[in-house]
Amino acid sequence: MKDIFDKDHEAFGPNNSGLLDLRFGNADFLANYWLRYDPKSPRFLYGDTNLGYAHAFPNADLKQVILALHDRIKNAVTKDRHVVVGVGASQVLQAALYAAKRRGTRHVIARAPYFPRFRHFSEIVGLQFNADTALLRDLEIVSIPNNPDNSFVKPQIKNYIADCCYNWPQYKDVELRDDDVMVFSLSKATGHASTRIGWALVKDAAFAEDMMKYIEVQSCGVSVEALGVTKQILTNQSQIDNSFTIFKNGSDKLKNRWEKIRLAFSGLAGVQLLNDDGMFLWGKTDGDSTDYFKNLGILSVNGDYFGMNDRNHFRLNIGTDVDSFLKLIEIINAKKRATTKS
Amino acid sequence: MKDIFDKDHEAFGPNNSGLLDLRFGNADFLANYWLRYDPKSPRFLYGDTNLGYAHAFPNADLKQVILALHDRIKNAVTKDRHVVVGVGASQVLQAALYAAKRRGTRHVIARAPYFPRFRHFSEIVGLQFNADTALLRDLEIVSIPNNPDNSFVKPQIKNYIADCCYNWPQYKDVELRDDDVMVFSLSKATGHASTRIGWALVKDAAFAEDMMKYIEVQSCGVSVEALGVTKQILTNQSQIDNSFTIFKNGSDKLKNRWEKIRLAFSGLAGVQLLNDDGMFLWGKTDGDSTDYFKNLGILSVNGDYFGMNDRNHFRLNIGTDVDSFLKLIEIINAKKRATTKS
């Protein structure tokens, strides 16, 4: 049955009839002003590249660049995949949940510890998340590798969305994923989180089209400036020598940080580390972890937020800026010295 | 009562404790790579200005620039207003509807003809739109001036959101609006639709904060590149001489186009024009307007889409690019000649 997103797409979706298209509200009568106003201004800012709505959707070039990067990194099968681009993995996940809902999904599950916004995204599109009844399991979201603990987990049911945001060499040796719906983000791939670009590789054409319908209505596409920056960054990373990529650089850096982490936390009483790679340190304190770290001058996130029903588990960002990382090591070392002394 | 957006905000919202903040997943360990990699690259693309999440939220500077422009154009009272920026007016409207829902709103109304996505936005946040029962009227959305017909309409009930996207001098002599929630977009202000930036001026601080919570979760903020471009464009438009602004230029251009429209459509049998200014021509044909215009080689949108329950009304974009506009005039003139001949 057609829903509001279909009807919108029918009224405003792409049209190849060749007829004069006066359906939209693009204010392109303003274009000449911007082109004439200041020829010295970067065209990117004042030109005609961001007037109207048409540029707010990824073109074939960008999709090609995305696929080429995956082929290089070998973290996703790209053959016969449709690329859907949205405002961060956040919007892309919502779009995928909407497309699943159209196919009958009503209940979404994720196994703890899980990225907490899976609940929010599910509820935004009108789905129930982690319903109490074990039977209510239409769709799973699984992070590969998992946020917060960086483990590779297998989906429990057949129908699932693969959040592959951390499936880049910085965080773990990548898996060549071949899932039906694989979600990635520029944020975790290259660090450019504030550009707000995410994408999905999708096997089924109709599923991908439904995702696009959702993005068309929810945000009317994606910032053209963000799309342009993304294309430049990913093109660059597809072309330079392997040993100079952000992936190699980031991988070396995080490995080095984890050595420092293990050394610092080794022998620290009352704190257990539960992983040894990835963006996050995932561990457990004897008591309330949030209180424990707050007493040390550190803000952390506890297990409750990741669906663990406890405050002992904690997540700390190891991939933060260098000053914050050094401060963390300094604090932990000072704590150990104080403990040993007393 | 706290909802998921509150809890998220508590866990991840701004914190001024001065403690070492390791709550987020910002991959700032990658920053040095981008700073060192190619010093000749524009910092805007490869620098540290878009790493991490912090830049995906508008800073005080941008808010100031927005308020200054409204002060200049005199289309909105800016005293004691909070500025909320989102991914186009689309997301900002959804955020406002979410904030209204938290305050008890369950049913949204809009008077036809109305912008059709008001229904979609309402349903996305879980509100009922134009319920059949006349009593179910918690909140109104009203476009000022109205899309599609450019008339100034008064809200019918006290609790309303003012969509002021077209309250710029290009489209009509502006009104100095003093509504509780006023929504604007870069798209209609300057034409840069593909930049995907919208904003609201909001009287109530708590309402504005709830809107931000929604934007934090739905898209994790707004593209930093889009925010930067917006700041440059609006700063420029706040500073240059009045007679050189896009507002003056656009106003002259649309007035000129409307003269041509009136001339072309005058004496055309079976078509009635219902307005004479604004971005859109809103009119009525004797039969099905979509068929009528399709026969002429033009794609239009009919009244059904704007809640009119008829296909006789139609909307055409007069503010389109110059070639499309001239083609429209040419088609209408040819139609008149053919009609006169036969």
Side-chain angles (χ1 to χ4, degrees):
Chain A
M1 215 187 73
K2 282 181 191 173
D3 72 1
I4 52 169
F5 295 93
D6 287 310
K7 286 181 192 158
D8 199 275
H9 190 72
E10 274 178 15
F12 285 115
N15 185 289
N16 301 317
S17 62
L19 302 184
L20 176 63
D21 195 346
L22 300 177
R23 293 175 299 164
F24 307 101
N26 52 304
D28 285 350
F29 69 107
L30 303 172
N32 280 341
Y33 173 89
W34 292 114
L35 290 172
R36 278 187 211 145
Y37 174 66
D38 181 359
K40 290 187 302 297
S41 291
R43 289 288 288 268
F44 194 61
L45 299 185
Y46 289 123
D48 57 355
T49 54
N50 53 357
L51 290 176
Y53 291 96
H55 307 288
F57 296 93
N59 57 25
D61 276 3
L62 176 61
K63 292 180 181 179
Q64 214 42 58
V65 168
I66 287 172
L67 294 172
L69 184 67
H70 284 297
D71 284 342
R72 176 171 204 176
I73 302 297
K74 297 186 177 53
N75 59 350
V77 171
T78 58
K79 193 169 180 304
D80 297 329
R81 302 301 161 121
H82 304 273
V83 182
V84 178
V85 179
V87 185
S90 299
Q91 191 191 42
V92 173
L93 278 164
Q94 287 163 64
L97 288 166
Y98 159 74
K101 185 182 174 191
R102 296 210 56 184
R103 283 153 183 78
T105 288
R106 291 295 170 267
H107 305 93
V108 179
I109 57 160
R111 184 164 31 178
Y114 54 76
F115 177 56
R117 283 187 181 165
F118 291 160
R119 171 183 296 278
H120 311 7
F121 301 153
S122 301
E123 294 186 1
I124 284 177
V125 303
L127 297 170
Q128 218 184 330
F129 182 79
N130 274 3
D132 287 333
T133 313
L135 287 172
L136 301 177
R137 306 151 42 108
D138 299 336
L139 177 74
E140 182 173 358
I141 311 184
V142 57
S143 297
I144 300 164
N146 194 40
N147 172 5
D149 65 0
N150 215 43
S151 65
F152 271 123
V153 286
K154 283 198 190 339
Q156 305 167 73
I157 56 178
K158 265 183 103 170
N159 190 25
Y160 67 93
I161 293 167
D163 159 24
C164 300
C165 284
Y166 289 95
N167 193 29
W168 296 98
Q170 300 95 299
Y171 309 106
K172 207 173 188 87
D173 291 339
V174 299
E175 285 198 345
L176 179 67
R177 300 298 308 182
D178 188 20
D179 312 289
D180 289 354
V181 182
M182 299 180 275
V183 176
F184 294 89
S185 72
L186 192 68
S187 163
K188 304 313 175 210
T190 68
H192 298 88
S194 287
T195 299
R196 306 308 309 126
I197 290 286
W199 63 89
L201 306 186
V202 181
K203 256 184 204 166
D204 183 69
F207 195 97
E209 202 187 341
D210 279 346
M211 289 177 68
M212 273 316 300
K213 285 178 196 166
Y214 187 82
I215 292 169
E216 276 170 19
V217 168
Q218 201 198 49
S219 65
C220 211
V222 181
S223 159
V224 63
E225 291 83 3
L227 292 174
V229 165
T230 301
K231 194 181 152 192
Q232 290 195 43
I233 292 172
L234 297 188
T235 301
N236 165 281
Q237 290 298 310
S238 298
Q239 292 173 346
I240 60 175
D241 190 275
N242 263 324
S243 56
F244 291 118
T245 62
I246 188 73
F247 309 107
K248 175 69 170 74
N249 177 283
S251 170
D252 292 349
K253 215 167 265 172
L254 263 197
K255 281 198 180 92
N256 180 280
R257 287 195 181 184
W258 272 100
E259 278 174 33
K260 293 194 169 74
I261 286 288
R262 274 189 292 269
L263 202 63
F265 279 83
S266 146
L268 179 66
V271 181
Q272 202 186 335
L273 305 197
L274 298 173
N275 65 342
D276 59 3
D277 58 8
M279 173 81 100
F280 300 110
L281 168 54
W282 177 244
K284 212 174 163 180
T285 54
D286 287 347
D288 182 305
S289 63
T290 297
D291 291 347
Y292 178 87
F293 284 106
K294 206 169 257 175
N295 281 333
L296 296 179
I298 297 169
L299 295 174
S300 59
V301 187
N302 69 53
D304 195 34
Y305 198 69
F306 301 96
M308 299 293 285
N309 287 322
D310 81 52
R311 294 174 60 91
N312 296 47
H313 284 87
F314 66 87
R315 191 189 83 170
L316 293 175
N317 182 5
I318 301 305
T320 186
D321 62 283
V322 62
D323 288 347
S324 296
F325 179 75
L326 293 175
K327 182 104 190 268
L328 167 65
I329 298 294
E330 185 190 309
I331 289 174
I332 299 300
N333 282 333
K335 169 72 177 168
K336 274 207 301 196
R337 280 195 304 272
T339 316
T340 320
K341 245 188 267 173
S342 63
Chain B
M1 217 186 72
K2 283 180 192 174
D3 71 2
I4 52 168
F5 295 94
D6 287 310
K7 285 181 194 158
D8 199 276
H9 190 72
E10 274 177 15
F12 285 116
N15 184 288
N16 303 315
S17 64
L19 301 184
L20 177 62
D21 195 345
L22 300 177
R23 293 175 298 162
F24 307 102
N26 51 303
D28 285 350
F29 70 107
L30 304 172
N32 280 341
Y33 173 88
W34 292 114
L35 290 172
R36 280 188 211 145
Y37 173 65
D38 181 1
K40 291 186 302 293
S41 291
R43 288 290 288 268
F44 193 60
L45 298 186
Y46 289 123
D48 57 354
T49 54
N50 53 358
L51 289 178
Y53 292 95
H55 306 288
F57 295 93
N59 58 24
D61 275 5
L62 176 61
K63 292 181 180 179
Q64 213 43 57
V65 168
I66 288 172
L67 295 171
L69 184 67
H70 284 297
D71 284 341
R72 176 170 204 178
I73 303 296
K74 295 186 177 58
N75 59 349
V77 171
T78 57
K79 193 170 180 303
D80 298 328
R81 301 299 160 122
H82 304 272
V83 181
V84 178
V85 179
V87 185
S90 298
Q91 190 191 43
V92 173
L93 278 164
Q94 288 164 62
L97 288 166
Y98 159 73
K101 185 183 175 191
R102 297 211 56 183
R103 283 154 183 79
T105 288
R106 292 294 170 266
H107 305 92
V108 179
I109 56 160
R111 185 165 30 178
Y114 54 77
F115 177 57
R117 285 189 178 164
F118 291 160
R119 170 184 298 275
H120 310 6
F121 300 154
S122 300
E123 294 186 2
I124 284 177
V125 303
L127 297 169
Q128 219 186 329
F129 182 79
N130 274 4
D132 287 335
T133 313
L135 286 172
L136 300 177
R137 306 152 41 107
D138 298 336
L139 176 74
E140 182 173 357
I141 312 185
V142 57
S143 296
I144 301 164
N146 194 41
N147 172 5
D149 66 358
N150 215 42
S151 66
F152 271 124
V153 287
K154 282 198 191 340
Q156 305 167 73
I157 57 178
K158 265 182 103 170
N159 191 25
Y160 68 93
I161 293 167
D163 159 23
C164 300
C165 285
Y166 289 96
N167 193 29
W168 296 99
Q170 299 96 299
Y171 309 106
K172 207 173 187 89
D173 291 339
V174 299
E175 285 198 344
L176 178 67
R177 301 297 309 183
D178 188 20
D179 313 288
D180 289 354
V181 181
M182 299 179 276
V183 176
F184 294 89
S185 72
L186 192 68
S187 162
K188 304 311 174 209
T190 68
H192 297 87
S194 287
T195 300
R196 306 308 310 128
I197 289 287
W199 63 88
L201 306 185
V202 181
K203 256 185 204 166
D204 184 68
F207 195 97
E209 203 188 340
D210 280 345
M211 289 177 69
M212 274 314 301
K213 284 177 197 165
Y214 187 81
I215 292 168
E216 278 170 19
V217 168
Q218 202 198 48
S219 65
C220 212
V222 182
S223 159
V224 64
E225 291 84 3
L227 292 173
V229 165
T230 302
K231 193 181 153 193
Q232 291 195 40
I233 292 173
L234 298 188
T235 301
N236 164 282
Q237 289 297 311
S238 298
Q239 291 173 348
I240 59 176
D241 191 276
N242 262 324
S243 55
F244 292 117
T245 62
I246 188 73
F247 310 107
K248 175 69 168 73
N249 176 284
S251 170
D252 291 349
K253 215 166 267 172
L254 264 197
K255 280 197 180 93
N256 179 279
R257 288 195 179 184
W258 272 100
E259 277 174 35
K260 292 193 171 74
I261 286 288
R262 274 188 294 268
L263 202 63
F265 279 83
S266 147
L268 179 65
V271 181
Q272 201 186 336
L273 305 196
L274 298 172
N275 67 341
D276 59 3
D277 57 10
M279 173 80 99
F280 300 110
L281 167 54
W282 177 245
K284 213 175 164 178
T285 54
D286 288 346
D288 182 307
S289 63
T290 296
D291 291 345
Y292 178 87
F293 283 107
K294 206 168 257 176
N295 281 333
L296 295 179
I298 298 169
L299 295 174
S300 60
V301 187
N302 70 52
D304 196 33
Y305 199 69
F306 301 97
M308 299 294 284
N309 288 320
D310 82 50
R311 294 175 60 92
N312 297 48
H313 284 87
F314 67 87
R315 191 189 84 169
L316 294 175
N317 181 6
I318 300 306
T320 187
D321 63 283
V322 62
D323 288 346
S324 298
F325 179 75
L326 293 176
K327 182 103 191 268
L328 167 66
I329 298 294
E330 185 190 308
I331 289 173
I332 299 300
N333 281 333
K335 168 74 179 168
K336 271 206 304 195
R337 278 194 307 272
T339 316
T340 319
K341 244 187 266 174
S342 63

